[in-house]
Amino acid sequence: MFDKVLVANRGEIAVRVIRACKDLGIGTVAVYSEADKHGGHVRFADEAYNVGPARAADSYLDHEAIIETAKQAGADAIHPGYGFLAENAEFAGKVESTDGVVWVGPSSDAMEQLGEKTKARAVMSDADVPIVPGTDPIEEPDAVRTFAEEHGYPIAIKAEGGGGGRGMKIVREESEIEEQLESAKREGEAYFDNDSVYLERYIENPRHIEVQVIADEHGNVRHLGERDCSLQRRHQKVIEEGPSSALSEGLREEILEAARRGVDAAGYYNAGTVEFLVEEDPDRAPGERLDDDTDFYFLEVNTRIQVEHTVTEEITGIDIVKWQLRVAAGDEIGFAQSDVAFDGHAMEFRINAENAAEDFAPATGGTLETYDPPGGIGVRMDDALRQGDDLVTDYDSMVAKLIVHGSDREECLARSRRALAEYDIEGIPTIIPFHRLMLTDGPFVDGTHHTKYLDEDLDTERIEEAQAKWGTDGEAAASGGDGTTTQELTIEVDGKRFDVKLENPGLPTNGAGQQAAGGGGAGGGTTSASGGSGGDQAATLEGQQVTAEMQGTILEVNVEEGDEVASGDVICVLEAMKMENDVVAPSGGTVTHVAVSSGDSVDMGDTLLALE
């Protein structure tokens, strides 16, 4: 076994890996950027090293900095967690070629083979795993038209290196082909440094089922059951659970065996997830299972640990991260497939610092003034932050993961309601109100939801009502958008305690949430198009500055100095939180300065351009 492991990640997943190492008696090394110098994962590790500035490309994604830190610390293995470098075959290859340092994950060859979707499809097809009708990489719009003639619309254009909906565009009619093809290529280049795309028949409203696997270098391949990840927003999972309440036993066994067979054929080892799309029956009644003849198709392999691996751990009792480390150290899997037993039901709730009532807009900062997570039987918390910590917004919006286990799905739902009712976070907005809503939502409670349910079927007014009812934290509750502020008081009447929320319409507050003196506006001074400040540079520019409303990456700049623009014109495209956001001109005018280029990383408030 290893003596010391460097965890090439941050936040809750870094803490999760560190804990597994400590259980095995392994020393731990954390890495951190300037933005994370006070991060929770730094506190948990035995040693911690600064690997660069806040920008991920210059710290957590810097291959040489990570490997050199491992050498400096005397680490004999690197665990990548998920995200950042976890699925980067080039980095894995560099670690493999570094004397004295082991890569905790599948081989770089397997990662490359299964990481590119067309190669993965070929491997799975050869292993007799069902795949969605599709193509090899394509270049021209005519290829899309030809595919449509054979398979019809809608069609998915997908980046070869994509995942989680990134680099995927849907074509529903011929007029959309050229625009969506260009957009998919652009995202593929921006996210994965690979603009190669291919086509698949697009399956409307499927269920998303994934199978956890673990394999070793001695030829042993085990599946650890399935997870249902069908509750998604824009292809990003929100709540995951296992086992799926939608599958018949026969269909479940077919999917599990297909995953095991495909991984075995690929010569894959360590942990991974094989994802499938399952045709949903729109007329399926609550409690009814999809029958054994239901079609399912291979989607992709995630060559790493998944965010939702916790669900599988709760229903199997198997510590997947520990087995990642053991397999990487050369151990043989110590249990047979028949030894894998499934106990009850589990759900994972991603606790993101987002305001669900405002299209899940990520928080732009804040401090966890109160952080009081739930506990009790069947409740697990995976987190890194503690009360008083500042929210770091340079990377992703995840604050924690709440995992709940019960003897069956009904008990799991009941415990989840109790746990979320106990969960108290103040100082930042979170999607806890959204999760509470879903636990009262008919289709989700009945298990009849599908991957498009949140985007297409759920009434957004219900999300706004849930936020108003339960959103007592941070900026989400500080103001109702109409100038209304709220204040919570605890009072006693005839010996009985009441928690009361007072609304003070039209009275602005200061930064501490107190009413501002004189009832005047809280702003003052100059404003920009997005309400941010462009920093020192903005102060030197003439005219109106258009600034970034959030941290992200510039995918496209549509204007040059001297161009005339009208109000509402798209001046650039900003990627943030895995989504493209059009930045529009706030008014008409002439572009006097362009401060960014395609591929640039920007922080909230950075100047994008100036108008006059």
Side-chain angles (χ1 to χ4, degrees):
M1 185 49 69
F2 306 115
D3 293 320
K4 188 185 292 186
V5 171
L6 182 146
V7 183
N9 218 294
R10 64 179 298 277
E12 59 82 24
I13 184 56
V15 172
R16 168 73 187 91
V17 176
I18 289 168
R19 284 173 168 158
C21 289
K22 289 181 181 293
D23 286 352
L24 292 170
I26 301 170
T28 55
V29 179
V31 293
Y32 63 93
S33 71
E34 286 293 334
D36 270 336
K37 63 176 61 177
H38 302 299
H41 68 292
V42 175
R43 296 192 293 260
F44 277 86
D46 298 322
E47 305 172 39
Y49 294 80
N50 186 318
V51 289
R55 186 168 179 262
D58 299 323
S59 51
Y60 294 114
L61 295 175
D62 187 329
H63 297 192
E64 284 67 34
I66 299 296
I67 292 174
E68 285 304 313
T69 300
K71 292 178 181 178
Q72 179 184 354
D76 48 358
I78 294 177
H79 193 303
Y82 53 70
F84 290 136
L85 296 170
E87 289 185 282
N88 189 306
E90 179 186 357
F91 177 69
K94 289 179 180 179
V95 176
E96 289 170 342
S97 63
T98 301
D99 290 340
V101 182
V102 175
W103 170 251
V104 181
S107 70
S108 57
D109 288 342
M111 292 174 69
E112 183 176 0
Q113 179 178 228
L114 296 177
E116 289 196 353
K117 301 304 182 288
T118 52
K119 293 180 180 178
R121 283 168 54 89
V123 171
M124 293 297 159
S125 179
D126 289 345
D128 198 27
V129 176
I131 61 173
V132 180
T135 69
D136 292 329
I138 61 105
E139 293 285 344
E140 301 298 330
D142 284 346
V144 186
R145 296 186 181 95
T146 300
F147 187 80
E149 290 174 2
E150 181 178 357
H151 299 283
Y153 294 98
I155 297 168
I157 305 176
K158 305 177 76 171
E160 272 205 282
R166 290 172 291 179
M168 180 173 77
K169 299 298 174 182
I170 308 305
V171 178
R172 297 188 177 278
E173 57 185 43
E174 185 174 1
S175 63
E176 299 175 349
I177 290 176
E178 293 188 10
E179 178 185 353
Q180 298 292 57
L181 177 60
E182 182 60 34
S183 182
K185 286 185 173 183
R186 185 173 66 239
E187 281 195 16
E189 178 68 31
Y191 283 120
F192 314 107
D193 196 28
N194 180 358
D195 68 354
S196 180
V197 298
Y198 66 102
L199 307 178
E200 280 186 355
R201 182 170 73 84
Y202 185 65
I203 302 174
E204 295 277 12
N205 304 331
R207 295 195 75 84
H208 184 126
I209 303 296
E210 62 185 30
V211 179
Q212 178 70 59
V213 296
I214 186 77
D216 61 31
E217 295 183 64
H218 305 280
N220 299 299
V221 180
R222 308 284 184 261
H223 74 70
L224 306 182
E226 89 280 4
R227 298 183 290 257
D228 194 321
C229 304
S230 300
L231 196 74
Q232 303 179 7
R233 176 183 172 272
R234 298 184 184 177
H235 307 288
Q236 300 303 310
K237 302 162 189 174
V238 183
I239 300 174
E240 303 99 341
E241 61 182 302
S244 173
S245 62
L247 307 182
S248 68
E249 286 304 317
L251 180 58
R252 171 176 290 110
E253 287 304 315
E254 278 192 67
I255 294 174
L256 295 177
E257 175 54 27
R260 194 208 62 75
R261 189 169 62 244
V263 167
D264 191 30
Y268 185 97
Y269 58 81
N270 214 277
T273 304
V274 186
E275 302 196 348
F276 296 91
L277 296 179
V278 180
E279 295 269 18
E280 176 64 284
D281 178 359
D283 300 320
R284 185 169 62 88
E288 185 180 356
R289 304 295 182 105
L290 295 169
D291 62 41
D292 296 0
D293 296 327
T294 300
D295 290 331
F296 66 92
Y297 303 100
F298 167 76
L299 176 62
E300 63 183 356
V301 177
N302 286 289
T303 57
R304 54 173 167 80
I305 196 75
Q306 290 274 88
V307 177
E308 60 274 17
H309 73 277
T310 58
V311 169
T312 299
E313 291 182 330
E314 292 304 303
I315 61 175
T316 63
I318 294 172
D319 188 322
I320 299 170
V321 178
K322 275 183 168 181
W323 275 108
Q324 282 192 290
L325 293 161
R326 288 170 175 149
V327 166
D331 290 357
E332 189 171 355
I333 293 175
F335 56 88
Q337 186 64 62
S338 58
D339 294 329
V340 180
F342 304 103
D343 175 28
H345 198 93
M347 291 185 176
E348 177 184 272
F349 301 85
R350 301 189 185 199
I351 309 301
N352 296 337
E354 301 170 359
N355 186 344
E358 295 184 0
D359 199 27
F360 291 79
T364 56
T367 300
L368 275 74
E369 297 166 2
T370 299
Y371 185 72
D372 189 8
I377 189 170
V379 174
R380 165 180 168 179
M381 289 299 311
D382 276 23
D383 55 17
L385 294 173
R386 294 294 179 263
Q387 187 163 300
D389 285 352
D390 291 331
L391 181 69
V392 175
T393 58
D394 297 78
Y395 310 107
D396 60 58
S397 62
M398 185 177 290
V399 174
K401 300 186 306 196
L402 167 65
I403 307 99
V404 181
H405 180 262
S407 60
D408 53 26
R409 193 170 190 265
E410 184 177 355
E411 183 176 65
C412 185
L413 287 167
R415 279 187 180 159
S416 297
R417 295 185 190 100
R418 184 261 296 171
L420 285 161
E422 292 178 6
Y423 210 153
D424 188 11
I425 298 179
E426 295 180 355
I428 61 172
T430 72
I431 60 171
I432 289 175
F434 167 80
H435 287 317
R436 291 176 181 172
L437 169 65
M438 295 315 301
L439 292 175
T440 66
D441 179 74
F444 178 73
V445 172
D446 292 339
T448 57
H449 59 288
H450 50 75
T451 56
K452 302 298 180 53
Y453 176 66
L454 294 183
D455 292 331
E456 298 179 359
D457 296 345
L458 182 66
D459 186 351
T460 56
E461 288 186 5
R462 295 181 61 205
I463 299 178
E464 294 167 2
E465 291 168 359
Q467 188 69 42
K469 180 178 180 180
W470 291 308
T472 59
D473 47 333
E475 63 191 34
S479 173
D482 57 359
T484 300
T485 62
T486 63
Q487 183 179 10
E488 289 192 344
L489 298 174
T490 300
I491 62 174
E492 227 177 66
V493 179
D494 293 334
K496 184 175 181 179
R497 176 189 170 104
F498 295 89
D499 292 323
V500 180
K501 181 186 291 185
L502 299 180
E503 291 189 353
N504 306 295
L507 297 179
T509 63
N510 60 20
Q514 302 164 328
Q515 291 181 9
T526 60
T527 61
S528 69
S530 63
S533 67
D536 294 337
Q537 182 189 44
T540 65
L541 294 176
E542 297 293 333
Q544 183 180 30
Q545 285 86 57
V546 180
T547 60
E549 293 186 343
M550 60 193 76
Q551 185 271 340
T553 301
I554 300 297
L555 295 183
E556 183 178 277
V557 179
N558 298 330
V559 296
E560 298 177 351
E561 291 184 15
D563 285 354
E564 296 288 333
V565 297
S567 177
D569 284 353
V570 177
I571 53 182
C572 65
V573 179
L574 172 66
E575 179 277 321
M577 301 306 298
K578 304 178 183 178
M579 290 179 285
E580 289 189 12
N581 301 273
D582 290 340
V583 180
V584 301
S587 60
T590 302
V591 178
T592 59
H593 179 77
V594 178
V596 293
S597 302
S598 177
D600 286 353
S601 294
V602 296
D603 291 320
M604 183 183 68
D606 281 358
T607 296
L608 305 178
L609 54 82
L611 296 170
E612 69 173 15

